[in-house]
Amino acid sequence: MNSTKQASRQPLLHIVKRAELPRRTSALLRLGAFLLSLFIGGLFILALGYNPFEIYGTIVSGSFRSAMAIQATIKVMVPLLISSLAVTLAFKMKFWNIGAEGQIIMGATFATYFALFHSDWNHWVLILVMLLAGMIGGGLWGLIPAVLKTRFNTNETLLTLMLNYIALHIVSYLRDGPWKDPGSQGYAKIARFDGNAALDKVFGVHFGWIIALVLTALVAVYLRRTKQGYEISVVGESQDTARYAGMNVRKIVIRTMFLSGAVAGICGMLQATGADITLTTSVAGGVGFTAIIIAWLAQLNPVMIVVVSFLFSVLEKGSSVIQSSFGLSTDCADVLQGIILFLVIGCEFFIRYRFVREKKEGAR
């Protein structure tokens, strides 16, 4: 009797991990998910009373309709690309770094000190020092969860997430206190940087885009062609295997998280000195969280991260254009982005897993 009841409680479907699909099949599934997201997004647009083809066309054309629009699209892409590379380093060893936002903020904060108090230095010396300061700031912020994880086995997801808010409040303290602009007439803000501390432009965009491409090449080579990159992969597969092979797992985790934070810190420095020309609480602007999505969609592949970051920047820039052109609210644009992301990310589940129907006892 009891065995009959237990059998009846068994779920009809089980989730089973798939054997690795061929690349072509995986690519077709992802393409299908993207096309389906466009179709469902089109239904949403139609329900609002607009022509889906016109809206989609405006999203694409709005990102490339002029030299200024192209520059704005690239400007959006730079922080997305660099922060995605940053989290990729940590994710490769299955260290869940959800703290890119905080690492970006601390990189910007460290760089801002030199922009505010040493703006009389030689321009290129100042830029180089700010770049190094940004790397150190982000790297140190990445070290905190790494050290605590390796020493006390803390939860890195929660810890890196909480550190984001601590970094944000540090900027708020500096903005309202020691670094408050004396000429702000009571309004709490940090002074705009001197021109000597601002990044130069190349083809109308601050040269952070060149740094982003260089970082892409460096991260790709580091992960694929170096001993340290190989160690990261082994630790990601199994820490026990890494230890058996004689690797110092603690050292690898700490080193990699410093690098992950340092790359995010570069992003912060570029945003503060190239895009905002000051330090604000919105210096990260949510890109640290978007970077997580981009990194996973790109399968932690630095070259594919460039492609996915570009598509995200087109979507983001195009969404702002449809808001101004058609009067769509920011919420509608966000819903459209959410539909696309939900289906594209959801597709990854079906690439890795499948449903298996439970056979009834006695069935043949």
Side-chain angles (χ1 to χ4, degrees):
M1 186 72 175
N2 290 334
S3 60
T4 305
K5 286 183 179 180
Q6 288 177 357
S8 64
R9 291 174 185 168
Q10 290 294 324
L12 294 176
L13 295 174
H14 287 281
I15 298 173
V16 178
K17 190 171 179 64
R18 286 182 185 272
E20 188 172 349
L21 293 175
R23 285 189 178 182
R24 184 176 179 181
T25 304
S26 299
L28 288 174
L29 283 172
R30 292 187 179 102
L31 177 61
F34 178 69
L35 294 176
L36 179 61
S37 69
L38 292 181
F39 175 74
I40 295 176
L43 294 178
F44 171 71
I45 294 169
L46 200 61
L48 295 177
Y50 296 93
N51 183 335
F53 295 102
E54 191 176 4
I55 295 292
Y56 285 140
T58 302
I59 288 176
V60 176
S61 64
S63 302
F64 306 101
R65 60 184 176 181
S66 65
M68 187 174 293
I70 295 172
Q71 291 165 4
T73 302
I74 295 173
K75 195 174 178 181
V76 171
M77 179 182 171
V78 169
L80 289 175
L81 173 55
I82 297 178
S83 54
S84 299
L85 293 171
V87 298
T88 292
L89 287 165
F91 288 173
K92 271 285 188 179
M93 64 175 183
K94 290 185 171 57
F95 190 102
W96 310 120
N97 180 16
I98 315 298
E101 285 275 304
Q103 292 148 22
I104 290 169
I105 291 170
M106 293 310 295
T109 303
F110 274 53
T112 295
Y113 168 79
F114 293 94
L116 292 177
F117 302 108
H118 298 284
S119 60
D120 56 338
W121 287 3
N122 174 274
H123 173 65
W124 290 109
V125 171
L126 179 60
I127 295 297
L128 179 60
V129 169
M130 286 194 296
L131 184 65
L132 293 173
M135 292 175 65
I136 292 170
L140 291 176
W141 213 242
L143 269 184
I144 296 172
V147 171
L148 292 176
K149 172 70 174 180
T150 56
R151 190 174 181 86
F152 303 109
N153 196 30
T154 54
N155 186 308
E156 72 271 18
T157 304
L158 292 176
L159 193 56
T160 52
L161 184 62
M162 289 188 292
L163 283 170
N164 291 336
Y165 301 103
I166 294 173
L168 190 64
H169 286 300
I170 288 174
V171 174
S172 297
Y173 163 72
L174 294 171
R175 178 199 63 195
D176 299 338
W179 291 0
K180 183 178 179 180
D181 182 7
S184 63
Q185 298 180 344
Y187 180 71
K189 71 182 185 72
I190 294 172
R192 188 173 175 83
F193 296 167
D194 184 84
N196 191 47
L199 292 183
D200 299 270
K201 293 184 177 181
V202 179
F203 299 121
V205 185
H206 66 80
F207 68 77
W209 67 270
I210 298 176
I211 294 176
L213 294 178
V214 171
L215 281 173
T216 301
L218 290 176
V219 171
V221 171
Y222 180 75
L223 289 176
R224 296 177 183 176
R225 305 291 182 185
T226 67
K227 177 187 175 184
Q228 293 183 3
Y230 173 73
E231 289 175 341
I232 290 172
S233 298
V234 175
V235 170
E237 289 297 323
S238 170
Q239 291 194 9
D240 290 335
T241 301
R243 291 190 185 96
Y244 183 77
M247 298 179 185
N248 187 333
V249 173
R250 183 175 184 272
K251 179 180 177 182
I252 293 168
V253 169
I254 290 175
R255 179 184 65 210
T256 305
M257 268 306 294
F258 179 83
L259 290 175
S260 178
V263 174
I266 291 174
C267 177
M269 176 268 179
L270 295 177
Q271 283 298 98
T273 61
D276 301 334
I277 322 297
T278 187
L279 177 65
T280 67
T281 53
S282 61
V283 64
V287 297
F289 296 116
T290 308
I292 298 169
I293 300 172
I294 293 174
W296 280 115
L297 285 178
Q299 302 291 295
L300 305 182
N301 182 326
V303 176
M304 283 304 300
I305 285 174
V306 177
V307 176
V308 179
S309 297
F310 175 72
L311 294 176
F312 265 68
S313 62
V314 169
L315 183 61
E316 178 134 353
K317 178 65 176 67
S319 295
S320 66
V321 174
I322 63 172
Q323 289 169 25
S324 57
S325 300
F326 296 93
L328 282 172
S329 71
T330 56
D331 294 330
C332 293
D334 288 341
V335 168
L336 189 58
Q337 291 183 47
I339 290 171
I340 294 173
L341 292 177
F342 177 78
L343 287 171
V344 172
I345 294 172
C347 164
E348 297 300 316
F349 173 85
F350 294 98
I351 290 174
R352 291 178 170 82
Y353 303 94
R354 62 189 176 91
F355 289 103
V356 176
R357 187 181 179 86
E358 180 70 18
K359 292 182 180 180
K360 294 182 179 179
E361 288 188 15
R364 297 183 181 276

